[in-house]
Amino acid sequence: MNNNEALLSDLREFIDFFIMKYKYENIGIIRKIRAKSGLNKDISEERWYELFISKSAINHCLKILLIKIFEDKNKVLPKLNTEGFKHWSKMVVDIENQYNNIYKMALKDILTISELRKAFKKSDYDVYVIDNELASYIINKLLKYDFDKITVQDVYRIIQILYNEHGELKYFYKPSPAVDFINELIEKKEILI
């Protein structure tokens, strides 16, 4: 896949924006999650929150990326790619304020593909949501890419880079459903389609 560096840069910006936006939200809920889990107690509370939100941001980022990949590969009706936005722009007057709703529809549509349901399974990382601001930000970033030729190995490398940049994420708390999905594809030597 071409443009890996540009894509990584755009995904990093989204992750940084996500973290900045939610850094101080849901601290009480995350504190309860941490206490209830009993996992990673050797990590300071502040670092635990940082790792949790980073893993959540990457999980959300990967879910959006998977939706865009499957749309570009013509496996689901387009909503988040260029073709989808041409369609929605004709139907929606204030599309700038509807990105999160379009994302929710794309999310429901992707769940019709049974083998993808595992990647989109609800988890503690969904304590943060993709609102209109975040949806607009990432969708507009990804519109410039065509993922019809992307491989599972490309996506796996992207995840590994993002995980490594944020520290001990691989072994932190619970697995991320979207990341686990890609890891399983790699282990089984499967393709993305």
Side-chain angles (χ1 to χ4, degrees), residues 66-94:
L66 284 169
I67 291 170
K68 176 85 165 61
I69 288 168
F70 275 75
E71 287 183 359
D72 287 355
K73 290 179 179 280
N74 296 314
K75 299 300 174 185
V76 290
L77 291 173
K79 290 174 188 66
L80 305 184
N81 65 11
T82 307
E83 183 184 338
F85 264 84
K86 283 180 188 172
H87 173 76
W88 286 107
S89 294
K90 293 175 188 171
M91 295 176 40
V92 179
V93 176
D94 65 338

Side-chain angles (χ1 to χ4, degrees), residues 4 36 64 72 75 78 111 122 149 153 166 181 187:
N4 273 353
K36 187 177 176 183
I64 295 167
D72 287 355
K75 299 300 174 185
L111 291 174
K122 288 278 185 195
K149 302 280 191 270
Q153 289 81 12
H166 288 274
F181 172 76
E187 286 172 17

Side-chain angles (χ1 to χ4, degrees), residues 132-147:
N132 194 61
E133 188 176 31
L134 286 167
S136 171
Y137 191 87
I138 190 64
I139 290 167
N140 282 315
K141 291 272 184 194
L142 295 180
L143 279 174
K144 62 186 170 193
Y145 300 100
D146 185 357
F147 294 120

